[in-house]
Structure formats: C-alpha cells, structure tokens
Amino acid sequence: MSLPSERAQTIAHVLIEALPYIRRFQGKTMVIKYGGNAMVDESLKQGFARDIVLMKLVGINPVVVHGGGPQIGSLLQRLGKASEFVQGMRVTDAETMDVVEMVLGGLVNKEIVNFINRHGGSAVGLTGKDGDLIRASKLFLKRDAPELKAPEIVDIGHVGEVRSIDPSIVHMLVNSNFIPVVAPIGVGEDGRSYNINADLVAGKMAEVLEAEKLLLLTNTSGLLDGEGRLIKDLEAGRVQTLIEEGVIKGGMLPKIRCALDAVRSGVKSAHIIDGRVEHAVMLDLFTDEGVGTLIRGR
C-alpha cells in the first residue's frame, strides 16, 4: 500500500489543527470588516468568499460589513467630480451621496453577495436603511489651529456616525441560515442618508450582536512596533502608551480605537489582519499561529 502524499499529510494536519477552533466557535457570531486589497484583487475576492462560506458551513455565523472608498473615488472620477477629504473623511455633498449609495449599496454590496453565493453560500445584501438597521447622526469635524481662538466646526456633508443599531433583521437572517452583507450607510432622523466609516459600523455591529470576534481586514500585516516588527498581542492598557509613543498613528489609529471600543463593550477579542494574505480569515480563526494583531480587553 502506498503512503499518503505530502500534500495529503499537510491537509490532514491542517484539519486536525482547525478542529478545536471549529468546536470552540460553533454557534458564535463573527463580524468581519471587509476592505482594502482583499476587495480589488480577483484571487483574494474569491478566497474571501470561500472563507465566509466555510465559516457558515462549520456552524459559525459570519456578518460582513464592507467598505468601498476606492470604488467610490473611481466612479466620481469618471463622472468628472473631484474627491475631497478633510481629516481623512470624504466630503460628501448630496450629489456625492447619490454615488456613495449607488456604489456601496449597489455595485459593491451585490458583487460581494454574488461571490459568496457562487461559492455555495446564501448571502443577503443590506444597507443601514433596510429594516431600520443603522440610525445615524450627522458628523461634524473639529479643526484646531494656532491662529484660531476656538476650534472650528467643519461640515463635511452627508457623513455620519452610528447613533444606534437595531439588529433584528440581522438576527432574522442569521437564524434563517443566511449571511448578512452590510453596506455602511445609515439614515438620520430627517430621513437623509449618511456615509459612515465601515470600521466604525463593524465595531458597533460587533458590540450590538455580542460577537465573539471582530476582524478588521487591512492592507498591512497588523500593528507594527517602532522597529517595524508585528505586535501579535495587544492589551487595552498598552494602547494609550503606544499612541503617545507614535507607534499607533495615521490610518491605524481609528482601527485600533474601533477595536478597543468593541472589546471594552463585551466583544471577546478584535483582530487586525492582513487582507493581502490569501485566506487570511481562515488563518486567523483556525490556526495556532493566527495572523495580524490580536487586541484584548485587558
């Protein structure tokens, strides 16, 4: 009798390593913020869809919240409208908001749903308007400068923050064996649509759903220390020190704060993982090594 091939042995080893994690996470909810390179590279899109389908098949309940900034910028450019940003936030007038809804709630959301369904899942796309899912309030930015006597309030249009989330429709879909895919568009008391940062929506969604984990896909290997080495495990108490030391800065700052808010509000753990790595979600959930940075509440 011939011996199993090296590839077969590797597959067996992977499955055995994954087994305790599958048992541990069965019936648990995972909120995954999907963005960055993982949304534009064809092979990574396919891999992400397979990961989500596999999670559902082994009894885990994934809820996907996605971004779409580059796709919005691309369509605005084709329409001859320049993108303007203030403190990293897109200035969103009424015309731009129409494009945001078209891209996030239509093009991007339905593409993700289609990929998941093509790989054997049953995904349903939502925006915050569906089932009154995401209530928003208008976001105002503050600009402080030496020449100003007081901070200046900056109105950047239809940009919002999460006021509340009613998870009823998400629970209904999850309990009916569907995979919710959520676009980060909220609705205000005035009925207006608001564009909300996808990281913030994912964090709040994880809190409301009492998720086991929050996974934030990024275009980096995770949080790096001052010497460029990956910080694999980060306790909440260290975050402020790392901010003061300049280790946490730029685009990583809102992600860390979002993750920190989630774990302080009851989410068991948050992970910042490298979406450029194929099957990053599976590697983080089902292997001993994991990928990226794990953030704990204490």
Side-chain angles (χ1 to χ4, degrees):
M1 185 175 67
S2 61
L3 293 173
S5 68
E6 185 177 337
R7 180 172 180 273
Q9 291 280 12
T10 301
I11 292 171
H13 175 76
V14 169
L15 291 172
I16 292 300
E17 185 175 329
L19 184 58
Y21 296 101
I22 293 172
R23 284 177 175 157
R24 176 182 167 190
F25 298 140
Q26 271 192 332
K28 305 293 187 182
T29 297
M30 309 283 182
V31 175
I32 304 103
K33 187 269 176 167
Y34 180 43
N37 277 20
M39 286 187 69
V40 295
D41 180 277
E42 195 66 24
S43 65
L44 292 176
K45 288 194 286 188
Q46 300 275 1
F48 177 80
R50 291 190 188 100
D51 289 356
I52 297 300
V53 171
L54 180 58
M55 288 173 69
K56 193 68 176 178
L57 286 174
V58 299
I60 299 169
N61 298 317
V63 175
V64 178
V65 177
H66 65 83
Q71 293 90 333
I72 294 168
S74 176
L75 182 53
L76 285 172
Q77 186 176 28
R78 280 163 33 205
L79 294 173
K81 189 172 180 64
S83 292
E84 182 184 351
F85 294 87
V86 175
Q87 297 178 25
M89 307 289 276
R90 184 185 299 276
V91 177
T92 308
D93 59 18
E95 186 180 27
T96 301
M97 190 65 222
D98 287 342
V99 173
V100 168
E101 287 204 78
M102 187 188 310
V103 173
L104 291 185
L107 179 66
V108 173
N109 187 272
K110 300 315 172 192
E111 181 186 60
I112 298 166
V113 166
N114 187 43
F115 268 109
I116 292 172
N117 291 346
R118 279 171 51 198
H119 287 91
S122 296
V124 175
L126 303 167
T127 73
K129 289 182 166 182
D130 295 305
D132 210 20
L133 175 59
I134 304 172
R135 284 282 182 169
S137 55
K138 188 178 177 69
L139 175 67
F140 291 95
L141 298 180
K142 288 184 179 180
R143 188 174 73 88
D144 208 350
E147 66 272 13
L148 299 175
K149 293 181 179 179
E152 180 183 45
I153 304 300
V154 182
D155 184 347
I156 54 175
H158 292 252
V159 177
E161 53 189 344
V162 177
R163 189 161 61 84
S164 65
I165 290 179
D166 181 350
S168 302
I169 190 170
V170 174
H171 285 310
M172 181 191 72
L173 291 170
V174 167
N175 293 335
S176 300
N177 212 34
F178 289 101
I179 300 168
V181 178
V182 182
I185 297 168
V187 61
E189 288 185 350
D190 54 4
R192 292 185 180 181
S193 299
Y194 288 95
N195 183 18
I196 309 176
N197 179 279
D199 289 329
L200 298 180
V201 171
K204 293 297 181 184
M205 187 71 71
E207 292 176 27
V208 170
L209 295 175
E210 299 180 340
E212 179 77 11
K213 290 178 182 289
L214 167 65
L215 284 76
L216 303 170
L217 271 67
T218 69
N219 283 342
T220 69
S221 55
L223 177 62
L224 306 180
D225 66 15
E227 298 179 6
R229 295 172 302 194
L230 177 66
I231 299 175
K232 289 191 173 184
D233 202 322
L234 177 63
E235 291 188 356
R238 289 186 60 203
V239 170
Q240 188 57 41
T241 300
L242 293 176
I243 292 173
E244 292 170 0
E245 292 174 353
V247 173
I248 302 174
K249 58 186 178 181
M252 187 58 70
L253 194 55
K255 291 186 188 298
I256 294 290
R257 283 179 171 156
C258 159
L260 196 56
D261 286 345
V263 296
R264 283 176 170 167
S265 299
V267 177
K268 296 288 177 60
S269 61
H271 305 242
I272 296 176
I273 62 177
D274 193 345
R276 301 169 302 177
V277 176
E278 195 166 6
H279 300 297
V281 173
M282 290 295 95
L283 291 169
D284 190 71
L285 288 179
F286 296 146
T287 66
D288 295 335
E289 288 294 317
V291 291
T293 300
L294 165 65
I295 298 170
R296 303 179 189 272
R298 57 183 186 278

PDB file of all heavy atoms in Angstrom, residues 119-143:
ATOM      1  N   HIS A 119     -20.017  30.589  -4.443  1.00  0.00           N
ATOM      2  CA  HIS A 119     -19.178  29.585  -3.785  1.00  0.00           C
ATOM      3  C   HIS A 119     -19.965  28.741  -2.789  1.00  0.00           C
ATOM      4  O   HIS A 119     -19.385  28.085  -1.922  1.00  0.00           O
ATOM      5  CB  HIS A 119     -17.983  30.261  -3.114  1.00  0.00           C
ATOM      6  CG  HIS A 119     -16.951  30.730  -4.084  1.00  0.00           C
ATOM      7  ND1 HIS A 119     -16.964  31.997  -4.633  1.00  0.00           N
ATOM      8  CD2 HIS A 119     -15.897  30.085  -4.652  1.00  0.00           C
ATOM      9  CE1 HIS A 119     -15.949  32.116  -5.462  1.00  0.00           C
ATOM     10  NE2 HIS A 119     -15.285  30.981  -5.489  1.00  0.00           N
ATOM     11  N   GLY A 120     -21.293  28.763  -2.908  1.00  0.00           N
ATOM     12  CA  GLY A 120     -22.102  27.843  -2.121  1.00  0.00           C
ATOM     13  C   GLY A 120     -22.772  28.418  -0.908  1.00  0.00           C
ATOM     14  O   GLY A 120     -23.427  27.685  -0.151  1.00  0.00           O
ATOM     15  N   GLY A 121     -22.621  29.729  -0.683  1.00  0.00           N
ATOM     16  CA  GLY A 121     -23.275  30.354   0.460  1.00  0.00           C
ATOM     17  C   GLY A 121     -24.633  30.910   0.089  1.00  0.00           C
ATOM     18  O   GLY A 121     -25.067  30.834  -1.058  1.00  0.00           O
ATOM     19  N   SER A 122     -25.302  31.488   1.085  1.00  0.00           N
ATOM     20  CA  SER A 122     -26.585  32.162   0.866  1.00  0.00           C
ATOM     21  C   SER A 122     -26.489  33.531   1.526  1.00  0.00           C
ATOM     22  O   SER A 122     -26.800  33.693   2.710  1.00  0.00           O
ATOM     23  CB  SER A 122     -27.745  31.363   1.469  1.00  0.00           C
ATOM     24  OG  SER A 122     -27.892  30.116   0.820  1.00  0.00           O
ATOM     25  N   ALA A 123     -26.006  34.513   0.766  1.00  0.00           N
ATOM     26  CA  ALA A 123     -25.781  35.854   1.296  1.00  0.00           C
ATOM     27  C   ALA A 123     -26.929  36.782   0.915  1.00  0.00           C
ATOM     28  O   ALA A 123     -27.551  36.623  -0.136  1.00  0.00           O
ATOM     29  CB  ALA A 123     -24.460  36.415   0.779  1.00  0.00           C
ATOM     30  N   VAL A 124     -27.193  37.756   1.778  1.00  0.00           N
ATOM     31  CA  VAL A 124     -28.208  38.773   1.522  1.00  0.00           C
ATOM     32  C   VAL A 124     -27.587  40.138   1.794  1.00  0.00           C
ATOM     33  O   VAL A 124     -26.999  40.355   2.864  1.00  0.00           O
ATOM     34  CB  VAL A 124     -29.453  38.576   2.428  1.00  0.00           C
ATOM     35  CG1 VAL A 124     -30.433  39.722   2.237  1.00  0.00           C
ATOM     36  CG2 VAL A 124     -30.127  37.244   2.125  1.00  0.00           C
ATOM     37  N   GLY A 125     -27.707  41.039   0.839  1.00  0.00           N
ATOM     38  CA  GLY A 125     -27.130  42.373   0.980  1.00  0.00           C
ATOM     39  C   GLY A 125     -28.081  43.344   1.662  1.00  0.00           C
ATOM     40  O   GLY A 125     -29.290  43.329   1.424  1.00  0.00           O
ATOM     41  N   LEU A 126     -27.514  44.188   2.521  1.00  0.00           N
ATOM     42  CA  LEU A 126     -28.289  45.186   3.260  1.00  0.00           C
ATOM     43  C   LEU A 126     -27.554  46.516   3.267  1.00  0.00           C
ATOM     44  O   LEU A 126     -26.321  46.555   3.172  1.00  0.00           O
ATOM     45  CB  LEU A 126     -28.469  44.761   4.725  1.00  0.00           C
ATOM     46  CG  LEU A 126     -29.116  43.423   5.059  1.00  0.00           C
ATOM     47  CD1 LEU A 126     -28.891  43.112   6.537  1.00  0.00           C
ATOM     48  CD2 LEU A 126     -30.595  43.458   4.743  1.00  0.00           C
ATOM     49  N   THR A 127     -28.294  47.598   3.404  1.00  0.00           N
ATOM     50  CA  THR A 127     -27.709  48.860   3.848  1.00  0.00           C
ATOM     51  C   THR A 127     -28.337  49.168   5.202  1.00  0.00           C
ATOM     52  O   THR A 127     -29.264  48.472   5.644  1.00  0.00           O
ATOM     53  CB  THR A 127     -27.994  50.025   2.873  1.00  0.00           C
ATOM     54  OG1 THR A 127     -29.374  50.419   2.993  1.00  0.00           O
ATOM     55  CG2 THR A 127     -27.701  49.627   1.431  1.00  0.00           C
ATOM     56  N   GLY A 128     -27.873  50.230   5.828  1.00  0.00           N
ATOM     57  CA  GLY A 128     -28.436  50.595   7.118  1.00  0.00           C
ATOM     58  C   GLY A 128     -29.882  51.032   7.049  1.00  0.00           C
ATOM     59  O   GLY A 128     -30.564  51.153   8.075  1.00  0.00           O
ATOM     60  N   LYS A 129     -30.381  51.282   5.824  1.00  0.00           N
ATOM     61  CA  LYS A 129     -31.783  51.669   5.651  1.00  0.00           C
ATOM     62  C   LYS A 129     -32.723  50.475   5.747  1.00  0.00           C
ATOM     63  O   LYS A 129     -33.900  50.629   6.046  1.00  0.00           O
ATOM     64  CB  LYS A 129     -31.972  52.338   4.280  1.00  0.00           C
ATOM     65  CG  LYS A 129     -31.344  53.719   4.165  1.00  0.00           C
ATOM     66  CD  LYS A 129     -31.640  54.299   2.787  1.00  0.00           C
ATOM     67  CE  LYS A 129     -31.345  55.779   2.741  1.00  0.00           C
ATOM     68  NZ  LYS A 129     -31.679  56.352   1.411  1.00  0.00           N
ATOM     69  N   ASP A 130     -32.223  49.282   5.462  1.00  0.00           N
ATOM     70  CA  ASP A 130     -33.062  48.089   5.455  1.00  0.00           C
ATOM     71  C   ASP A 130     -33.398  47.669   6.888  1.00  0.00           C
ATOM     72  O   ASP A 130     -32.504  47.463   7.710  1.00  0.00           O
ATOM     73  CB  ASP A 130     -32.350  46.939   4.732  1.00  0.00           C
ATOM     74  CG  ASP A 130     -32.139  47.239   3.257  1.00  0.00           C
ATOM     75  OD1 ASP A 130     -33.134  47.536   2.575  1.00  0.00           O
ATOM     76  OD2 ASP A 130     -30.989  47.177   2.797  1.00  0.00           O
ATOM     77  N   GLY A 131     -34.689  47.519   7.150  1.00  0.00           N
ATOM     78  CA  GLY A 131     -35.110  47.112   8.492  1.00  0.00           C
ATOM     79  C   GLY A 131     -34.734  48.114   9.563  1.00  0.00           C
ATOM     80  O   GLY A 131     -34.636  47.756  10.734  1.00  0.00           O
ATOM     81  N   ASP A 132     -34.496  49.387   9.138  1.00  0.00           N
ATOM     82  CA  ASP A 132     -34.081  50.426  10.094  1.00  0.00           C
ATOM     83  C   ASP A 132     -32.847  49.983  10.866  1.00  0.00           C
ATOM     84  O   ASP A 132     -32.729  50.189  12.076  1.00  0.00           O
ATOM     85  CB  ASP A 132     -35.231  50.741  11.061  1.00  0.00           C
ATOM     86  CG  ASP A 132     -35.204  52.180  11.547  1.00  0.00           C
ATOM     87  OD1 ASP A 132     -34.560  53.019  10.885  1.00  0.00           O
ATOM     88  OD2 ASP A 132     -35.817  52.473  12.583  1.00  0.00           O
ATOM     89  N   LEU A 133     -31.917  49.355  10.145  1.00  0.00           N
ATOM     90  CA  LEU A 133     -30.754  48.723  10.760  1.00  0.00           C
ATOM     91  C   LEU A 133     -29.816  49.712  11.434  1.00  0.00           C
ATOM     92  O   LEU A 133     -29.422  49.533  12.593  1.00  0.00           O
ATOM     93  CB  LEU A 133     -29.998  47.920   9.692  1.00  0.00           C
ATOM     94  CG  LEU A 133     -28.668  47.272  10.085  1.00  0.00           C
ATOM     95  CD1 LEU A 133     -28.853  46.307  11.232  1.00  0.00           C
ATOM     96  CD2 LEU A 133     -28.049  46.568   8.877  1.00  0.00           C
ATOM     97  N   ILE A 134     -29.424  50.769  10.713  1.00  0.00           N
ATOM     98  CA  ILE A 134     -28.435  51.716  11.260  1.00  0.00           C
ATOM     99  C   ILE A 134     -29.032  53.118  11.313  1.00  0.00           C
ATOM    100  O   ILE A 134     -29.325  53.721  10.278  1.00  0.00           O
ATOM    101  CB  ILE A 134     -27.147  51.752  10.412  1.00  0.00           C
ATOM    102  CG1 ILE A 134     -26.540  50.356  10.294  1.00  0.00           C
ATOM    103  CG2 ILE A 134     -26.133  52.728  11.023  1.00  0.00           C
ATOM    104  CD1 ILE A 134     -25.375  50.281   9.310  1.00  0.00           C
ATOM    105  N   ARG A 135     -29.217  53.621  12.506  1.00  0.00           N
ATOM    106  CA  ARG A 135     -29.610  55.016  12.703  1.00  0.00           C
ATOM    107  C   ARG A 135     -28.342  55.861  12.841  1.00  0.00           C
ATOM    108  O   ARG A 135     -27.433  55.510  13.592  1.00  0.00           O
ATOM    109  CB  ARG A 135     -30.464  55.146  13.960  1.00  0.00           C
ATOM    110  CG  ARG A 135     -31.891  54.649  13.777  1.00  0.00           C
ATOM    111  CD  ARG A 135     -32.717  55.670  13.046  1.00  0.00           C
ATOM    112  NE  ARG A 135     -34.098  55.266  12.889  1.00  0.00           N
ATOM    113  CZ  ARG A 135     -35.044  56.086  12.463  1.00  0.00           C
ATOM    114  NH1 ARG A 135     -34.726  57.337  12.153  1.00  0.00           N
ATOM    115  NH2 ARG A 135     -36.290  55.674  12.313  1.00  0.00           N
ATOM    116  N   ALA A 136     -28.322  56.968  12.110  1.00  0.00           N
ATOM    117  CA  ALA A 136     -27.111  57.790  12.079  1.00  0.00           C
ATOM    118  C   ALA A 136     -27.401  59.210  12.538  1.00  0.00           C
ATOM    119  O   ALA A 136     -28.547  59.674  12.513  1.00  0.00           O
ATOM    120  CB  ALA A 136     -26.543  57.814  10.659  1.00  0.00           C
ATOM    121  N   SER A 137     -26.363  59.886  12.950  1.00  0.00           N
ATOM    122  CA  SER A 137     -26.435  61.325  13.195  1.00  0.00           C
ATOM    123  C   SER A 137     -25.295  61.974  12.426  1.00  0.00           C
ATOM    124  O   SER A 137     -24.275  61.349  12.140  1.00  0.00           O
ATOM    125  CB  SER A 137     -26.326  61.638  14.692  1.00  0.00           C
ATOM    126  OG  SER A 137     -25.148  61.062  15.246  1.00  0.00           O
ATOM    127  N   LYS A 138     -25.487  63.202  12.067  1.00  0.00           N
ATOM    128  CA  LYS A 138     -24.514  63.921  11.247  1.00  0.00           C
ATOM    129  C   LYS A 138     -23.206  64.102  12.004  1.00  0.00           C
ATOM    130  O   LYS A 138     -23.200  64.415  13.196  1.00  0.00           O
ATOM    131  CB  LYS A 138     -25.079  65.290  10.859  1.00  0.00           C
ATOM    132  CG  LYS A 138     -24.249  66.081   9.853  1.00  0.00           C
ATOM    133  CD  LYS A 138     -24.953  67.393   9.541  1.00  0.00           C
ATOM    134  CE  LYS A 138     -24.149  68.260   8.601  1.00  0.00           C
ATOM    135  NZ  LYS A 138     -24.065  67.702   7.249  1.00  0.00           N
ATOM    136  N   LEU A 139     -22.108  63.883  11.317  1.00  0.00           N
ATOM    137  CA  LEU A 139     -20.787  64.016  11.922  1.00  0.00           C
ATOM    138  C   LEU A 139     -20.194  65.377  11.582  1.00  0.00           C
ATOM    139  O   LEU A 139     -20.140  65.770  10.413  1.00  0.00           O
ATOM    140  CB  LEU A 139     -19.852  62.912  11.398  1.00  0.00           C
ATOM    141  CG  LEU A 139     -18.392  62.980  11.847  1.00  0.00           C
ATOM    142  CD1 LEU A 139     -18.277  62.733  13.349  1.00  0.00           C
ATOM    143  CD2 LEU A 139     -17.543  61.968  11.085  1.00  0.00           C
ATOM    144  N   PHE A 140     -19.781  66.100  12.608  1.00  0.00           N
ATOM    145  CA  PHE A 140     -19.073  67.364  12.417  1.00  0.00           C
ATOM    146  C   PHE A 140     -17.632  67.175  12.885  1.00  0.00           C
ATOM    147  O   PHE A 140     -17.386  66.569  13.930  1.00  0.00           O
ATOM    148  CB  PHE A 140     -19.729  68.487  13.225  1.00  0.00           C
ATOM    149  CG  PHE A 140     -21.087  68.901  12.712  1.00  0.00           C
ATOM    150  CD1 PHE A 140     -22.226  68.358  13.270  1.00  0.00           C
ATOM    151  CD2 PHE A 140     -21.213  69.817  11.684  1.00  0.00           C
ATOM    152  CE1 PHE A 140     -23.488  68.718  12.806  1.00  0.00           C
ATOM    153  CE2 PHE A 140     -22.464  70.192  11.211  1.00  0.00           C
ATOM    154  CZ  PHE A 140     -23.607  69.644  11.772  1.00  0.00           C
ATOM    155  N   LEU A 141     -16.699  67.685  12.108  1.00  0.00           N
ATOM    156  CA  LEU A 141     -15.290  67.615  12.495  1.00  0.00           C
ATOM    157  C   LEU A 141     -14.854  68.906  13.149  1.00  0.00           C
ATOM    158  O   LEU A 141     -15.411  69.979  12.880  1.00  0.00           O
ATOM    159  CB  LEU A 141     -14.422  67.346  11.252  1.00  0.00           C
ATOM    160  CG  LEU A 141     -14.672  66.035  10.504  1.00  0.00           C
ATOM    161  CD1 LEU A 141     -13.744  65.932   9.299  1.00  0.00           C
ATOM    162  CD2 LEU A 141     -14.478  64.842  11.417  1.00  0.00           C
ATOM    163  N   LYS A 142     -13.846  68.804  13.999  1.00  0.00           N
ATOM    164  CA  LYS A 142     -13.268  69.996  14.623  1.00  0.00           C
ATOM    165  C   LYS A 142     -11.879  70.236  14.058  1.00  0.00           C
ATOM    166  O   LYS A 142     -11.085  69.306  13.926  1.00  0.00           O
ATOM    167  CB  LYS A 142     -13.174  69.824  16.144  1.00  0.00           C
ATOM    168  CG  LYS A 142     -14.513  69.867  16.856  1.00  0.00           C
ATOM    169  CD  LYS A 142     -14.330  69.788  18.363  1.00  0.00           C
ATOM    170  CE  LYS A 142     -15.679  69.859  19.076  1.00  0.00           C
ATOM    171  NZ  LYS A 142     -15.521  69.786  20.555  1.00  0.00           N
ATOM    172  N   ARG A 143     -11.619  71.480  13.683  1.00  0.00           N
ATOM    173  CA  ARG A 143     -10.286  71.832  13.194  1.00  0.00           C
ATOM    174  C   ARG A 143      -9.695  72.854  14.143  1.00  0.00           C
ATOM    175  O   ARG A 143     -10.274  73.906  14.383  1.00  0.00           O
ATOM    176  CB  ARG A 143     -10.352  72.420  11.776  1.00  0.00           C
ATOM    177  CG  ARG A 143      -8.979  72.634  11.143  1.00  0.00           C
ATOM    178  CD  ARG A 143      -9.116  73.065   9.695  1.00  0.00           C
ATOM    179  NE  ARG A 143      -9.585  74.429   9.581  1.00  0.00           N
ATOM    180  CZ  ARG A 143      -8.778  75.499   9.573  1.00  0.00           C
ATOM    181  NH1 ARG A 143      -7.466  75.343   9.695  1.00  0.00           N
ATOM    182  NH2 ARG A 143      -9.281  76.703   9.457  1.00  0.00           N
TER     183      ARG A 143
END
